[in-house]
Amino acid sequence: MQTINLTSIKKEFTVEASQQTAFEVFTRKIDLWWPRTHHIGSAELTEMVVEPHVDGRWYSKHADGSEANVGYVMTYQPYDLLVLAWQIDGDFKCNPNLITEVVTEFIPEGPTTTRVKFEHKDLHKLGNGKVVESMDQGWGEIMNLYKQFADQ
C-alpha cells in the first residue's frame, strides 16, 4: 500500500457570482453550504460560523448546545482574500497549539464570474497517512458544495 504525503491541498474553480458574492457566500453564509457531516463536535451540527474579522472565531454549534473550535480568522480582506487558521489535528480534535492555514483567494474574472483559489497548507504538521489523504477528498466535496451554492 502506497502512502501519499501531501503538504497542501489545492482546489481551483470558477463560480458564476461576483467577487463580492463569492466572498460573502464563503464567509458569512458558510452555514448554508457546509456539510452537516463534517464536524468535530459530539452532537449533531446545527451551525457553522466564521466571524467576519481578523481574530474572529471559526467554530461549529451543536444540537446539545456545545461549540467546537475549528480555528480562527488570520486575514480578512473583503472581497479578495480569506486566511483561516485550521487547528484540528490528525486525530480530528481541536489543538490550540496547531496551525495549518486555509487560504482562499477570490479573483474577479468578470462582473458575474470569480475564480476561487483554495489551498490548505502545512499538512505535514498533521502527520501522514489516511487522515491527510481523506482530507483531499473531503475538501473536494466541501468546495463542490460551496460552488453549487455560490453559482445560484
Side-chain angles (χ1 to χ4, degrees), residues 64-79:
D64 62 359
S66 66
E67 295 180 349
N69 288 324
V70 176
Y72 62 91
V73 178
M74 298 174 75
T75 304
Y76 191 84
Q77 294 177 358
Y79 301 99

Side-chain angles (χ1 to χ4, degrees), residues 41-136:
S42 56
E44 180 182 341
L45 176 68
T46 59
E47 186 178 5
M48 182 62 73
V49 179
V50 171
E51 295 177 341
H53 55 84
V54 171
D55 294 326
R57 291 175 62 207
W58 178 15
Y59 65 101
S60 55
K61 294 181 180 182
H62 299 273
D64 62 359
S66 66
E67 295 180 349
N69 288 324
V70 176
Y72 62 91
V73 178
M74 298 174 75
T75 304
Y76 191 84
Q77 294 177 358
Y79 301 99
D80 301 305
L81 178 66
L82 177 71
V83 181
L84 299 169
W86 170 275
Q87 295 183 290
I88 298 174
D89 65 20
D91 295 320
F92 290 109
K93 295 188 182 339
C94 183
N95 178 347
N97 298 315
L98 172 73
I99 295 176
T100 62
E101 292 183 10
V102 176
V103 179
T104 310
E105 294 178 77
F106 303 86
I107 304 159
E109 291 194 333
T112 60
T113 307
T114 303
R115 174 153 302 282
V116 178
K117 292 175 80 173
F118 171 93
E119 182 176 10
H120 189 163
K121 300 169 141 184
D122 303 321
L123 296 179
H124 63 279
K125 295 178 182 180
L126 304 178
N128 295 320
K130 293 274 182 214
V131 169
V132 174
E133 290 174 35
S134 69
M135 286 178 71
D136 185 43

